[in-house]
Amino acid sequence: MEPTLAQVIEVVRESSGIHRKPIDSNTWIEADLHICGIDGEDLLEDCEEAFGVQLATEEDGYRKTFSLAENEYLFTGEGIDFFGICRFIRWVRGIPEPVIRDLTVGELHAVLVKAVKEQVKHE
């Protein structure tokens, strides 16, 4: 059975501990709810468990599921780059700046619905 938006919002609330802030389909997971780094990964794992789907693969991680480009990521890291050392090293090595593609709760819901449909089709 496909997850409803209300069910996805409930998983987001339980995973993040955010119970008082209003959450709807247009709520940004990182910008509005401040879910990033490991907390973001935990949220996706909680969604996988709650809806019985697999969003990440060993070879592609979340890239295929969320249609991420080579230098796109879902969440910013939680570390601190003192003095811009990491940015400088990326520049010296010619590695493009990572692009964070923040998701809305509605986009997460759509991905979960698609994952459930794919799983049902393969069973």
Side-chain angles (χ1 to χ4, degrees):
M1 190 164 130
E2 294 177 14
T4 64
L5 179 60
Q7 289 171 320
V8 174
I9 290 171
E10 186 58 31
V11 171
V12 170
R13 286 190 186 287
E14 291 301 316
S15 181
S16 66
I18 299 171
H19 296 285
R20 293 183 178 203
K21 189 177 262 192
I23 299 175
D24 61 26
S25 65
N26 297 315
T27 302
W28 294 100
I29 292 174
E30 187 163 335
D32 295 334
L33 303 177
H34 309 291
I35 298 172
C36 62
I38 294 173
D39 293 336
E41 290 180 28
D42 289 345
L43 169 63
L44 296 179
E45 289 172 5
D46 290 344
C47 287
E48 287 177 326
E49 186 177 318
F51 302 111
V53 295
Q54 182 178 353
L55 299 176
T57 63
E58 229 176 274
E59 55 277 351
D60 294 322
Y62 295 108
R63 291 203 185 289
K64 186 175 179 183
T65 304
F66 291 94
S67 302
L68 299 172
E70 189 63 34
N71 66 327
E72 279 188 313
Y73 300 91
L74 292 175
F75 305 105
T76 56
E78 294 175 347
I80 298 173
D81 183 13
F82 291 107
F83 311 113
I85 293 171
C86 293
R87 180 177 288 168
F88 176 73
I89 291 171
R90 279 195 303 272
W91 177 77
V92 167
R93 298 172 94 191
I95 300 170
E97 280 289 315
V99 175
I100 306 304
R101 197 175 91 203
D102 200 355
L103 288 175
T104 64
V105 173
E107 290 170 327
L108 177 60
H109 173 243
V111 165
L112 289 166
V113 167
K114 182 179 177 185
V116 167
K117 286 180 180 179
E118 287 291 320
Q119 183 170 324
V120 168
K121 188 166 51 171
H122 287 93
E123 288 180 350

